[in-house]
Amino acid sequence: MKNSFKLLPDSKGYFGNYGGRVLPVELEKIFMEIELEYVKIKNDKKFQLEYADLLKNYVGRPSPLYFAKNLSAKLGGAKIYLKREDLNHTGAHKINHTLGEALLAKKMGKKKLLAETGAGQHGVALATAAALVGLGCEIHMGAIDIEKQAQNVAKMKLLGAKVICVQSGGRCLKDAVDSAFQAFVKNPTDVFFGIGSVVGPHPFPMIVRDFQAVVGREARAQIIEVEGRLPDYLIACVGGGSNAIGLFNEFLDDDVKMIGVEPAGKSFKDGEHAATLTLGKPGNIHGMFTYLLQDKNGEAMSVHSIASGLDYPGVGPIHSFLKDEGRVDYQFISDDEALAAFSELSKIEGIIPALESSHALAQAIKMAPSLSGDKIIIVNLSGRGDKDVDFVVDVLAKRDNI
Ligand SMILES: *Cc1c(COP(=O)(O)O)cnc(C)c1O
């Protein structure tokens, strides 16, 4: 069946059993309004031209599809291509959807973008988009994260954003989400909640997916140009799942295998990983129904990954659907395997990848040797590793590995 997977959610925002708008009724209205506006804008030529122009001249798209010939030769199996989202302005794929969200907010007459951030990557991408389109920006961040991520906090401030230090609870991402949501609910007329991945209440999973789909559209044209055919495998890391669905979406109805890679962290003990689709069960989180790492009471568990961008107990509902359908295979990679891939790519290709992207890379490194030389793998290199360098050098120094 053609177009069976490149699907629109149903009228209530469900992809199969997953997604929806699990919210108090009074909040539902706000998200319905965003949906209506978005549907209009999606079909508006002027909006699409403006967005396409920014992708080209501001973000620097199309991002290259690079044949990693040193790595491929060393592994001695499949050919590995890297989709270079790390070369985007601000250094990752997130700018693709924060720009779209900022333009949408501006068109809706909003005055301010608001969001939470964990390590600060989403905060920086959103503050960048806000600066560009001329909107205010307010980022909520846990006090502990603020201390750890001084550079991203400084960037957000330089970009003109107000950084709110959250002192409640564990003073981390979860508390920042609550704080940001409370601030948003106080003034939903003027404020646009800029969600950071394909998560949250409908229509956000759909909106963010649509804005990220440019990654796969480009990759499809690029691989056909150089290889004259489609790839055999696509591999991407999955936190919320935006870079993964961004790469996968355009290929969903093709004969191409896809692997989403979750963080197995330190171990499969509770609290030491964030392998949601591997070990979670469906439940409610942040306004959606989706796979969730949860305790006996259905509360989100604490999670861990060496890559802070993958450190999320839920996952985008599209991925829950694609897992149940068997369309995408979800695998997992440990902290140590990701670290090894980080070092390997740096040494052999001169590319320092983000720790998040290193999970996808580690999966390719695992698989490539047993595949024949005519097979093609595309790995989504979702971001660059500059942000991780100090941390990785510390870890490796402790192990006498550098
Ligand atoms: C935030 C981030 C991710 C994880 O987010 P997804 O929505 O799962 O893509 C992955 N890679 C990088 C570089 C990130 O900054």
Side-chain angles (χ1 to χ4, degrees):
M1 198 165 58
K2 197 68 191 149
N3 275 336
S4 53
F5 287 107
K6 272 198 254 177
L7 72 182
L8 284 170
D10 70 16
S11 62
K12 294 212 160 74
Y14 282 89
F15 298 87
N17 292 326
Y18 303 103
R21 204 146 35 204
V22 189
L23 291 169
V25 239
E26 64 271 21
L27 289 180
E28 230 178 287
K29 211 176 95 236
I30 303 166
F31 289 90
M32 281 168 75
E33 206 178 288
I34 295 173
E35 184 188 351
L36 282 177
E37 265 330 284
Y38 175 68
V39 170
K40 264 193 250 161
I41 270 168
K42 196 177 167 181
N43 300 312
D44 177 31
K45 257 244 156 74
K46 210 172 130 235
F47 177 88
Q48 289 302 342
L49 283 175
E50 192 178 350
Y51 177 60
D53 177 71
L54 288 180
L55 287 183
K56 178 164 185 257
N57 296 306
Y58 187 74
V59 177
R61 305 202 69 90
S63 66
L65 183 70
Y66 168 71
F67 173 45
K69 66 173 182 316
N70 300 335
L71 181 65
S72 304
K74 181 170 174 195
L75 295 171
K79 294 168 97 167
I80 298 176
Y81 283 84
L82 306 176
K83 182 61 175 159
R84 299 289 309 274
E85 293 299 293
D86 61 313
L87 294 177
N88 293 341
H89 177 48
T90 69
H93 69 291
K94 285 193 174 76
I95 191 77
N96 300 329
H97 72 254
T98 56
L99 270 184
E101 287 177 334
L103 283 181
L104 173 60
K106 184 94 176 172
K107 285 274 184 316
M108 290 180 73
K110 305 282 179 188
K111 306 218 160 36
K112 186 156 87 175
L113 296 177
L114 183 142
E116 75 286 342
T117 194
Q121 295 305 109
H122 176 55
V124 169
L126 198 67
T128 301
L132 178 72
V133 308
L135 288 169
C137 186
E138 181 177 310
I139 303 293
H140 293 237
M141 194 167 178
I144 290 179
D145 290 330
I146 286 188
E147 220 165 277
K148 279 203 251 173
Q149 306 289 341
Q151 171 131 76
N152 277 341
V153 174
K155 279 187 190 169
M156 286 185 268
K157 288 183 178 163
L158 278 172
L159 292 161
K162 187 168 160 195
V163 180
I164 306 280
C165 177
V166 178
Q167 294 284 6
S168 54
R171 297 181 291 157
C172 285
L173 178 64
K174 192 161 158 283
D175 315 289
V177 174
D178 294 340
S179 167
F181 206 71
Q182 278 161 21
F184 168 65
V185 169
K186 274 188 206 144
N187 190 5
T189 326
D190 291 334
V191 174
F192 187 95
F193 203 109
I195 290 181
S197 185
V198 282
V199 298
H202 179 59
F204 277 90
M206 172 180 76
I207 292 181
V208 173
R209 186 264 319 258
D210 290 354
F211 286 130
Q212 287 294 346
V214 64
V215 176
R217 279 199 302 276
E218 287 175 6
R220 199 173 191 283
Q222 288 166 323
I223 198 72
I224 288 175
E225 193 185 326
V226 290
E227 292 281 354
R229 70 174 182 92
L230 293 176
D232 299 286
Y233 294 90
L234 304 175
I235 304 179
C237 64
V238 177
S242 67
N243 86 87
I245 198 65
L247 176 65
F248 297 168
N249 192 59
E250 194 66 14
F251 298 88
L252 282 171
D253 299 324
D254 296 316
D255 186 15
V256 174
K257 296 187 184 71
M258 300 177 188
I259 302 171
V261 183
E262 298 194 304
K266 291 186 221 168
S267 82
F268 274 158
K269 273 196 237 143
D270 286 359
E272 298 207 334
H273 65 86
T276 307
L277 289 163
T278 308
L279 295 171
K281 284 200 300 275
N284 290 324
I285 182 173
H286 298 147
M288 60 181 166
F289 181 69
T290 191
Y291 275 81
L292 173 65
L293 289 166
Q294 52 187 302
D295 63 19
K296 297 194 292 295
N297 305 319
E299 294 290 320
M301 272 176 2
S302 70
V303 287
H304 159 84
S305 168
I306 195 169
S308 51
L310 303 182
D311 203 341
Y312 184 59
V315 66
I318 305 170
H319 290 286
S320 296
F321 171 75
L322 292 171
K323 173 194 159 74
D324 281 8
E325 291 291 313
R327 178 63 189 95
V328 178
D329 180 23
Y330 293 90
Q331 296 286 339
F332 45 84
I333 285 291
S334 70
D335 285 354
D336 284 350
E337 291 170 313
L339 265 176
F342 181 101
S343 300
E344 178 75 349
L345 195 73
S346 304
K347 291 214 168 66
I348 203 166
E349 296 285 353
I351 298 171
I352 301 177
L355 277 170
E356 289 82 0
S357 325
S358 300
H359 285 72
L361 206 58
Q363 179 67 28
I365 290 172
K366 227 181 215 184
M367 288 169 52
S370 60
L371 296 170
S372 61
D374 60 345
K375 295 287 190 236
I376 299 169
I377 300 175
I378 298 179
V379 175
N380 201 5
L381 207 69
S382 54
R384 66 177 84 129
D386 305 29
K387 67 186 177 61
D388 301 313
V389 164
D390 292 346
F391 172 79
V392 170
V393 166
D394 259 9
V395 173
L396 295 183
K398 279 188 200 127
R399 299 181 184 179
D400 281 335
N401 247 339
I402 199 164

